[in-house]
Amino acid sequence: MKKINFYENARKILSNPTVVEAVQKATMHALEKRRQTIARIPDFEELRDKARTAKEEILRDFDGYLEKFKENARKNGFVIHEAGDAREAREIILQIFKERNVKLAVSSKSMTQEEIEINPFLEAHGIKKYETDLGEFIIQIAHQKPSHITAPAIHLTRREIARLFNEKLGMEYTEEPEELTKFARNYLRKKYFEADAGMSGANFLIADTGSFVVVENEGNARMSTTLPPLHVAVTGIEKLIPSIKDLPVFLKILAPSSTGQHQTVYTNIFSQASKDHEVHIVLIENGRRRMLNDPVLREALMCIRCGGCSNVCPIFQLVGGHAYGSVYSGPIGIIWTYAIFGPDVAKELPFASTLCGACYEICPVRINIPRILLELRRRVIERTGGKLEEKALVGLWSQLMTKPVLNKLGFHLASKIQGIFKKDDKLTHLPFVFSNWTKWKDIEPFPGKSFRELWKERKNS
Amino acid sequence: MRVLLFPTCLVDHIKPKIGFDTVKLLEHFGVEVEVPEKPSCCGQIAFNVGYWKDAKEMARAWLDVYDVPGFDYIVAPSGSCVHMIRENYEILFKDEPKTLERVHRIKSKLYEIVEFLTKVLKVKEIPSTFSGKVTYHASCHYLRGLGVKREPKEFLKNLKNADFIPMDLEETCCGFGGLFSIKFPDLSYNMTKRKAESIKNTHADFVTSSDLSCLMNIGGVLSRLGLKIKPVHIVEILAEGLEDEKD
Ligand code: SF4
């Protein structure tokens, strides 16, 4: 993967007001619904604590719980596969499909499948896979990538979707959401019955029962995974929770934090395979062990992918997920992208935040995202040395603040020469890196004397 | 009670009035205030963009200036600088037990001004007046970092003659983010513009906050957009109508 140019991407998106508006509307709507919903869950904060504790327990003995899950899952008749990276995962899935002569597959929404880029790979091997989640389906026919971890088509307006359905699927042009949904549903319904295999992700892997959970709103996951004779679930190993007793806690926090619903419409718990319905679970490591062994990054493994931090992020609200150039977008996506795709690809991303902390505040499992971003920034600067002008600026400031003589001299000088950048008593066109500030913002001129100097004068007068 | 004032680097060099108004408030409530001779910066500008070596240098110098005997408290007119020292110095000096000791010693004495007035001095109301319509921007590190939400707004509401009008995006970041605004100017501007619109919708004459950094950022855009709303620090509003003890 090439280096992700976050700012370049963001600027392109900013020049497209339709996207900005669509993303803003959708995220603000989800936040408002969240607010209303949690107002009616009196123990929401305690539920968050409980969920956090359960995830901490997983991290305390990760391998123990993983082993337990695998063992119990096998008892349920599930076939367990383990993939170290994306390539291995793709090969495993292809192998399963080839052995069973799969030509057509249907799938419910799964970010892990996006992560391993399974669709183009299967396509290249002559296997067609249909996305059955409405948002993912739209993205698929538009040949785009998801722009939000739970709402993949968040950047598209109804009009754009109407045009897509008209052009790509030959539907008569309409912007009626119900009509569009009905059309997609009928279009996909046939595929469920024709498909040789169904795929899904997993929201939770339950260690003490060996079962796994997929939540959804459209019933498409249920049909994708049960109608075809084969079900392949693709999931990251971090989705573990200790016990089925913990599940209600997670279900109670997931939907409110995500879409603002009390509950998702469907909660599917898979707990048994049978002779005529095979279930395979592909457990994906792909960088997660590195995270586990990293004292700062490991906290990010607790993420339950609710997307709340994206919704609340003022940067995400403006530019949406595509700016992040990765399947995982938004604040937590920065961390995941860094961890999975490496520091060279993601070196700009940790800076794509004002550290405002809204993500930490909303995160149902209380992941301290700003704290992790700070650490990633430190690492990037340590690796790369930082940009020259920025380094110079920080260095200069440090000198001015730690050397009283330089301080006095520097600010007196600044107040003397600032006149040439002044217009109407404001600094409006500063040079060097500061021009990035005055591109959009005026600045008050420096006073001739510092507060400390004036204070001293006042005391001595 | 003796307080050592940390004016913050921005107030010191850009808007000394905020320093004097902080002193005015403190003195009004009977506090004796002293100001160090040396300049200082908490170091967050470097820390937040990953330059921890420079941050350490500034933080160490800050500790040298403020970790001194003879003062009961250290007070600053900034939520984000207090947040930096209170929350991040421990990260910065995690491998230096001796420095950590100093950090712990100082942490318990350090307060943001409104926090200090309400938590330490137990002030319920500022006996002052301010005429004008005011809206409030909750600075991120103040609100979510220090957890101060209600108090500054209560103060504003209870000022005689003041008309406090909350904005809908009160708790949304203004887009400053330190060097963020210089690294990604277009993005920062669009965030600030959203904030500016929310401010404009209140029809307020003034926008206030606990942090000069946010106000410079917001004010910079308001000015460029030709909007006449004035950015003022919260201590400027609170101190405006107070009798000057020194007069
Ligand atoms: S980090 Fe927290 S808020 Fe963000 S997606 Fe994960 S669980 Fe949700």
Side-chain angles (χ1 to χ4, degrees):
Chain A
M1 221 166 130
K2 280 209 307 270
K3 180 194 166 263
I4 296 166
N5 294 313
F6 169 78
Y7 186 47
E8 214 177 287
N9 299 343
R11 287 182 62 181
K12 261 188 223 132
I13 295 164
L14 283 173
S15 66
N16 183 348
T18 351
V19 176
V20 176
E21 203 182 306
V23 173
Q24 207 163 110
K25 210 167 128 191
T27 50
M28 295 305 270
H29 178 72
L31 287 178
E32 178 52 25
K33 265 177 68 186
R34 171 189 183 271
R35 198 188 57 74
Q36 288 170 10
T37 299
I38 64 171
R40 282 181 283 142
I41 310 177
D43 59 343
F44 195 69
E45 294 308 307
E46 287 136 65
L47 289 167
R48 288 172 76 177
D49 292 334
K50 281 187 189 152
R52 167 96 193 178
T53 310
K55 281 291 186 182
E56 274 170 1
E57 173 59 21
I58 291 292
L59 291 189
R60 192 190 56 78
D61 180 20
F62 194 86
D63 285 310
Y65 282 106
L66 187 60
E67 279 313 309
K68 201 164 146 193
F69 171 75
K70 289 193 289 195
E71 194 186 312
N72 288 326
R74 285 192 183 109
K75 284 191 201 144
N76 295 337
F78 300 155
V79 186
I80 302 284
H81 307 263
E82 290 176 86
D85 58 22
R87 195 190 51 79
E88 264 180 53
R90 291 191 294 262
E91 291 297 340
I92 289 168
I93 296 162
L94 181 66
Q95 193 61 31
I96 301 172
F97 281 3
K98 269 191 174 158
E99 282 167 7
R100 287 155 190 84
N101 201 22
V102 171
K103 289 277 168 257
L104 181 71
V106 284
S107 176
S108 65
K109 198 183 114 45
S110 156
M111 291 310 283
T112 319
Q113 288 182 40
E114 292 281 353
E115 176 187 329
I116 62 169
E117 296 181 286
I118 189 68
N119 288 9
F121 178 78
L122 290 178
E123 192 104 42
H125 287 86
I127 299 165
K128 179 77 193 159
K129 172 175 165 251
Y130 282 94
E131 295 297 333
T132 60
D133 170 87
L134 184 58
E136 282 284 343
F137 176 68
I138 294 167
I139 293 301
Q140 189 179 30
I141 61 173
H143 298 291
Q144 292 182 351
K145 298 236 179 231
S147 62
H148 187 289
I149 58 176
T150 62
I154 201 173
H155 60 291
L156 294 173
T157 59
R158 207 192 297 163
R159 178 171 320 145
E160 286 169 306
I161 294 165
R163 207 176 308 136
L164 260 174
F165 276 43
N166 174 264
E167 277 166 21
K168 302 269 163 127
L169 306 174
M171 182 193 180
E172 201 179 310
Y173 187 91
T174 171
E175 293 179 15
E176 278 308 309
E178 269 106 90
E179 292 295 314
L180 291 165
T181 313
K182 209 160 99 196
F183 184 87
R185 191 182 299 147
N186 288 335
Y187 183 91
L188 288 168
R189 179 111 339 160
K190 287 185 252 119
K191 309 292 180 207
Y192 294 118
F193 293 97
E194 292 166 9
D196 311 304
M199 292 183 76
S200 77
N203 295 95
F204 304 105
L205 306 174
I206 304 169
D208 72 346
T209 58
S211 39
F212 63 99
V213 180
V214 176
V215 297
E216 51 146 345
N217 282 321
E218 299 165 15
N220 64 306
R222 183 162 290 195
M223 294 210 282
S224 298
T225 54
T226 54
L227 288 176
L230 168 67
H231 172 192
V232 178
V234 180
T235 173
I237 49 177
E238 81 285 2
K239 301 286 175 62
L240 285 165
I241 61 172
S243 163
I244 188 102
K245 294 199 198 89
D246 300 310
L247 185 60
V249 171
F250 283 96
L251 292 178
K252 280 188 212 166
I253 59 167
L254 177 55
S257 305
S258 176
T259 52
Q261 294 164 287
H262 261 283
Q263 283 288 292
T264 46
V265 179
Y266 300 95
T267 301
N268 307 297
I269 307 180
F270 299 92
S271 25
Q272 196 71 61
S274 68
K275 257 214 320 297
D276 37 56
H277 190 75
E278 279 184 74
V279 179
H280 293 247
I281 304 173
V282 184
L283 294 170
I284 292 174
E285 194 261 297
N286 206 24
R288 285 147 176 91
R289 270 206 190 269
R290 234 179 7 246
M291 291 170 81
L292 189 66
N293 295 329
D294 185 309
V296 178
L297 286 181
R298 76 199 309 253
E299 193 186 354
L301 287 171
M302 297 185 194
C303 173
I304 58 170
R305 302 281 202 287
C306 72
C309 56
S310 291
N311 291 340
V312 84
C313 174
I315 295 169
F316 189 95
Q317 287 176 1
L318 275 180
V319 295
H322 286 159
Y324 300 80
S326 156
V327 282
Y328 297 115
S329 56
I332 193 71
I334 294 174
I335 298 163
W336 274 84
T337 302
Y338 189 98
I340 292 178
F341 300 111
D344 291 327
V345 169
K347 64 181 170 203
E348 194 183 335
L349 285 177
F351 300 92
S353 158
T354 58
L355 306 173
C356 82
C359 47
Y360 180 26
E361 189 182 33
I362 203 172
C363 176
V365 285
R366 305 192 198 282
I367 298 173
N368 191 340
I369 296 171
R371 169 70 186 91
I372 304 174
L373 293 180
L374 277 165
E375 168 66 14
L376 294 184
R377 290 176 182 195
R378 185 190 70 76
R379 291 182 194 178
V380 170
I381 297 302
E382 199 160 85
R383 276 174 71 91
T384 64
K387 281 210 188 84
L388 214 59
E389 47 182 22
E390 191 180 283
K391 202 172 141 161
L393 182 65
V394 170
L396 174 70
W397 192 256
S398 167
Q399 290 301 306
L400 286 172
M401 289 301 136
T402 52
K403 311 270 184 314
V405 182
L406 271 180
N407 179 281
K408 197 162 172 172
L409 240 128
F411 282 96
H412 278 245
L413 197 68
S415 76
K416 287 279 176 297
I417 60 168
Q418 63 184 341
I420 46 174
F421 310 112
K422 239 195 267 183
K423 208 181 116 199
D424 298 336
D425 223 33
K426 293 265 164 66
L427 307 179
T428 54
H429 48 283
L430 290 173
F432 314 123
V433 278
F434 306 107
S435 65
N436 278 352
W437 178 278
T438 46
K439 181 175 180 190
W440 299 108
K441 301 165 186 181
D442 297 335
I443 188 167
E444 301 277 337
F446 292 99
K449 285 176 184 164
S450 71
F451 166 70
R452 284 169 297 108
E453 289 170 84
L454 294 167
W455 170 266
K456 212 168 157 188
E457 284 173 16
R458 188 182 106 163
K459 279 200 86 175
N460 295 339
S461 68
Chain B
M1 184 186 289
R2 298 192 72 211
V3 159
L4 188 56
L5 182 73
F6 171 38
T8 77
C9 62
L10 281 188
V11 166
D12 190 20
H13 296 291
I14 293 180
K15 211 164 173 200
K17 176 173 181 286
I18 297 170
F20 285 112
D21 282 339
T22 310
V23 174
K24 191 169 161 188
L25 267 168
L26 289 168
E27 286 180 346
H28 179 87
F29 292 101
V31 175
E32 199 185 318
V33 184
E34 203 38 73
V35 177
E37 271 200 30
K38 282 188 183 164
S40 60
C41 168
C42 65
Q44 67 171 313
I45 186 165
F47 181 76
N48 286 354
V49 274
Y51 294 86
W52 288 19
K53 221 177 110 258
D54 298 280
K56 258 188 188 170
E57 232 171 89
M58 285 186 260
R60 223 185 291 282
W62 188 90
L63 286 170
D64 288 341
V65 173
Y66 286 93
D67 183 27
V68 289
F71 296 95
D72 304 297
Y73 296 100
I74 297 154
V75 175
S78 161
S80 92
C81 303
V82 170
H83 173 257
M84 170 70 195
I85 297 157
R86 209 183 273 174
E87 302 296 327
N88 294 336
Y89 275 20
E90 276 165 20
I91 299 173
L92 209 45
F93 294 115
K94 76 176 189 330
D95 300 323
E96 295 182 27
K98 280 250 162 56
T99 319
L100 272 183
E101 247 172 64
R102 300 176 74 186
V103 173
H104 289 146
R105 184 161 59 224
I106 215 149
K107 245 178 81 167
S108 57
K109 294 209 253 174
L110 176 71
Y111 287 89
E112 181 274 336
I113 176 71
V114 171
E115 208 189 17
F116 180 75
L117 291 173
T118 50
K119 286 197 181 140
V120 178
L121 299 183
K122 312 276 180 220
V123 173
K124 294 260 176 313
E125 202 172 301
I126 310 288
S128 178
T129 62
F130 182 82
S131 18
K133 284 186 276 189
V134 188
T135 191
Y136 175 74
H137 159 67
S139 97
C140 299
H141 292 154
Y142 191 44
L143 173 73
R144 284 176 282 267
L146 300 185
V148 185
K149 182 185 174 101
R150 228 174 11 85
E151 295 83 346
K153 290 190 279 179
E154 289 299 314
F155 274 175
L156 291 171
K157 277 185 218 161
N158 291 333
L159 281 179
K160 228 185 288 155
N161 296 336
D163 191 359
F164 173 69
I165 314 162
M167 65 173 110
D168 59 350
L169 297 185
E170 177 180 304
E171 297 188 355
T172 304
C173 175
C174 72
F176 174 58
L179 285 191
F180 174 86
S181 57
I182 292 199
K183 283 176 91 77
F184 308 129
D186 296 2
L187 202 49
S188 169
Y189 167 66
N190 276 280
M191 293 165 79
T192 318
K193 198 172 67 170
R194 240 181 120 197
K195 190 94 201 181
E197 273 152 23
S198 176
I199 294 168
K200 190 177 138 210
N201 291 339
T202 64
H203 300 286
D205 313 306
F206 301 92
V207 54
T208 191
S209 177
S210 66
D211 280 87
L212 176 59
S213 50
C214 307
L215 289 169
M216 281 172 59
N217 180 57
I218 294 170
V221 166
L222 289 174
S223 160
R224 189 61 65 88
L225 294 176
L227 294 165
K228 292 277 171 280
I229 307 151
K230 254 192 90 174
V232 283
H233 193 278
I234 189 155
V235 298
E236 295 184 82
I237 294 190
L238 299 180
E240 164 116 336
L242 286 179
E243 297 289 308
D244 208 326
E245 305 288 299
K246 288 272 149 95
D247 287 347

